[in-house]
Structures are given as C-alpha cells and as structure tokens.
Amino acid sequence: MIAITITVPGGPQVLRAERRAVPSPGEREILIRVTAAGVNRPDVLQRAGLYPPPKGASDLLGLEVAGEVVAAGSGVKRWKPGDRVCALTPGGGYAEFAVVDESNALPVPDGMPMEEAAAVPETFFTVWHNVFERGRLIAGETLLVHGGASGIGTTAIMLAKAFGARVIVTAGTDDKCDACRALGADVAVNYRNGDWAVAVKEATGGRGADVILDMVGGAYIEKNYQAAAIDGRIVNIAFLQGSRVEVDYIRLMMKRLTHTGSTLRAQAVEAKARIAAELESKIWPLLAKGKCRPLIHARFPLVAAADAHALMESNAHIGKIVLTVG
C-alpha cells in the first residue's frame, strides 16, 4: 500500500509517500480500505518530533479515517467486510489501509459522504469528551471556545448549539469570526482587536463563561480565569502558546473554578469505546439529520499530505482538512 512517512522530524517537506505492507487486523481489529483521512494538529506535532505515538501504535500519521471494512479479526462481532465505517485510530490513517479496534469504529452516518465522515472522529470525540463530559456543559450555559474556526472549534460551536448552549468564540481574523457566526456562534471576538476576556464579560453581562475550551494555553490560562463565571469549568486540550506560565490562582479559589484537561490519543481503547457509544447514541442522529456536519475547508490527495500540513500550519483554514485516497 501507499503510506505517508516521516523521513526525519521537521517541516511539511519531510513527508514522503512510500510503499508499506498492508497491516493485518488483530483479534478484535478491523482492516479498513481508507477512502479519506482527517488532518489534525497532533499530526503536525508528531511530524515535527514533538508528539511520539503511544506504545504499540503505528508510526504513521493519521488519527481518523473513513472507508470500507475489508477484513476482520476472529473476535470481531459488529463489523463485516463491506461495511462503511469511520474510525478513531491511534495512528496509521495516512495510508491506503488502516487497522483499528472494532469498538473505536462507527457507521458512516446516513447520507454523509466518506470525505465528511473522515473529518468526524477526532474532533467529535474530543469535543464530546472535553466539553460535555469533563466540562459538563448543559443547556442554557455559555461556552467560550478559543480557536473557534479550527476543526475542534467549528465542531464545538455546532454541538453546543445543538444542545441548547450559548456560544462565544475567539478567532484571529474578521473572516473567521464571520464563519463562526454563520455556524451558530452567538458572539465572535477577533482577539487581535482588543482584550477578549473583557469582551466575554461584556457579552455575558459581567457573568463570564460557564465552560471554556482552550487549546492555546500560555497567557490565555490566567485570562481564562478572568473570563470564567462563578463555578466555571476550564478544559485545556492543547498548549499552542506554552504550558509553563506564571499564574495568579486566586481567581481559581474565589470563583470556585475547575481547571482540567485531557489528551485523547493515549487513552485506553475501552475509554474511547465508551465515548464512541455516547456519540452513536447522542450525536449520530444529529449527523444523519444534517443538523451537525463537519465543515471541510480543503481536500488534498494522500500524496500531497505535505501541502495539507503547510495549510494547517498557516492557520488560514476554517474547519477541517482532509486527505483523499484513490
């Protein structure tokens, strides 16, 4: 099969298309002929040598795929060859074939093209776990999302609105703010034009955000404490501006804040299976009805993965970037 490999840690140019043996599914795994694979920020970090794959995972990039099941291990109960699935993978998605535990795969939602389905798992798993499980967002509350125009951000907007929350986002251009509003964001703040923490307080009548989803870190950590409501919950899923900062924690105490975070890739197969079951129960009906759909910014052929990474690093995209196979 054709797979995208990392020749040495570095920029997008280090990605190369090479021949690899087709992987064999284990007892509880399925082999998927990949139609499309999502591109995500962890892929960029791994390519740069900053995010090694977990023990036992493929060294290939790619955390989400969609395609057709072509083989199944002896212990697989749900899937059979010919089934159309999308799946969360611990790696290996940038290839013509990928293996995944059967419990981390879900049926392609009714009526959804494969390229869209490939853009669902990583972001929808991440948003569900961090916003609704760890952040405990409920209807009527306000969610603040940093990086609102990213794949994670656009997904968070749609899901939060679908479950009755108010959404405020930050983004770096007016065009991105407009795109976020078009997806349903109630307020979009261009962080280059002023103090977003002040804007959030103004937009909430001084109350602040109940839940904050942050992938920026750095100086945002203390500003999140300023922008949070009493009993607010702050969830970090990345630290693009750094994880080591000096913070005055007095607001954490005075506001009774909860500050948590998580990574998805390193979690056990069983933990991901539980999230998959929640998504199939609560989110898949929305996807099938078209009430939530991943926003695709650009598509690249698999062999042009370097161009896809260059686009992601430019931060010019709004929504998801997808690699197409075949």
Side-chain angles (χ1 to χ4, degrees):
M1 69 177 183
I2 298 297
I4 303 301
T5 63
I6 304 169
T7 53
V8 294
Q13 73 279 358
V14 306
L15 298 179
R16 292 286 186 275
E18 296 183 1
R19 303 290 298 186
R20 282 278 186 103
V22 175
S24 299
E27 181 182 1
R28 294 187 56 203
E29 292 180 326
I30 55 175
L31 176 66
I32 301 170
R33 179 184 289 115
V34 178
T35 300
V39 177
N40 294 282
R41 188 71 60 174
D43 300 334
V44 172
L45 295 175
Q46 182 177 335
R47 187 209 70 222
L50 302 175
Y51 190 40
K55 184 178 180 180
S58 170
D59 64 314
L60 298 177
L61 300 173
L63 302 178
E64 57 184 351
V65 299
E68 180 182 319
V69 176
V70 293
S74 60
V76 171
K77 298 178 179 179
R78 179 172 186 181
W79 309 108
K80 63 184 185 303
D83 288 341
R84 289 161 43 92
V85 298
C86 57
L88 185 73
T89 68
Y94 287 19
E96 292 180 313
F97 294 88
V99 292
V100 65
D101 189 275
E102 70 161 331
S103 67
N104 290 182
L106 289 164
V108 172
D110 293 343
M112 180 175 285
M114 284 286 200
E115 291 177 12
E116 286 189 27
V120 169
E122 173 69 12
T123 48
F124 278 71
F125 273 67
T126 297
V127 169
W128 182 259
H129 178 57
N130 289 286
V131 173
F132 294 93
E133 294 184 341
R134 304 191 73 82
R136 307 188 306 279
L137 182 71
I138 60 174
E141 291 190 321
T142 297
L143 170 68
L144 169 62
V145 181
H146 295 304
S150 67
I152 293 289
T154 53
T155 300
I157 293 169
M158 290 185 286
L159 291 187
K161 293 302 295 183
F163 285 91
R166 187 168 185 249
V167 179
I168 302 173
V169 303
T170 63
T173 70
D174 290 341
D175 286 345
K176 288 184 176 182
C177 287
D178 289 342
C180 291
R181 293 188 195 96
L183 284 173
D186 298 279
V187 178
V189 180
N190 185 335
Y191 60 78
R192 301 183 192 277
N193 293 341
D195 189 326
W196 57 261
V198 172
V200 169
K201 294 301 287 287
E202 290 176 350
T204 56
R207 185 174 184 277
D210 299 287
V211 180
I212 301 175
L213 182 64
D214 181 22
M215 60 193 79
V216 181
Y220 277 41
I221 294 174
E222 186 161 355
K223 288 174 71 69
N224 285 335
Y225 293 177
Q226 298 172 25
I230 300 295
D231 292 317
R233 290 86 71 196
I234 300 160
V235 189
N236 270 92
I237 57 171
F239 294 96
L240 297 178
Q241 288 187 5
S243 59
R244 298 190 177 193
V245 294
E246 184 174 321
V247 177
D248 183 351
Y249 288 102
I250 190 64
R251 287 190 177 87
L252 187 76
M253 296 169 58
M254 300 303 293
K255 290 185 173 183
R256 303 186 300 276
L257 303 177
T258 299
H259 190 171
T260 183
S262 76
T263 60
L264 180 61
R265 188 180 191 183
Q267 292 192 44
V269 165
E270 294 78 11
K272 297 173 187 176
R274 182 192 56 75
I275 299 172
E278 287 287 299
L279 289 174
E280 188 167 11
S281 171
K282 297 181 171 66
I283 305 301
W284 250 234
L286 300 178
L287 292 172
K289 294 175 183 176
K291 292 184 177 180
C292 294
R293 298 294 283 265
L295 178 65
I296 309 297
H297 178 91
R299 299 166 175 81
F300 294 87
L302 178 65
V303 294
D307 295 331
H309 276 225
L311 173 59
M312 174 156 281
E313 290 189 300
S314 76
N315 290 319
H317 61 293
I318 299 173
K320 296 282 292 188
I321 301 169
V322 172
L323 300 176
T324 58
V325 182

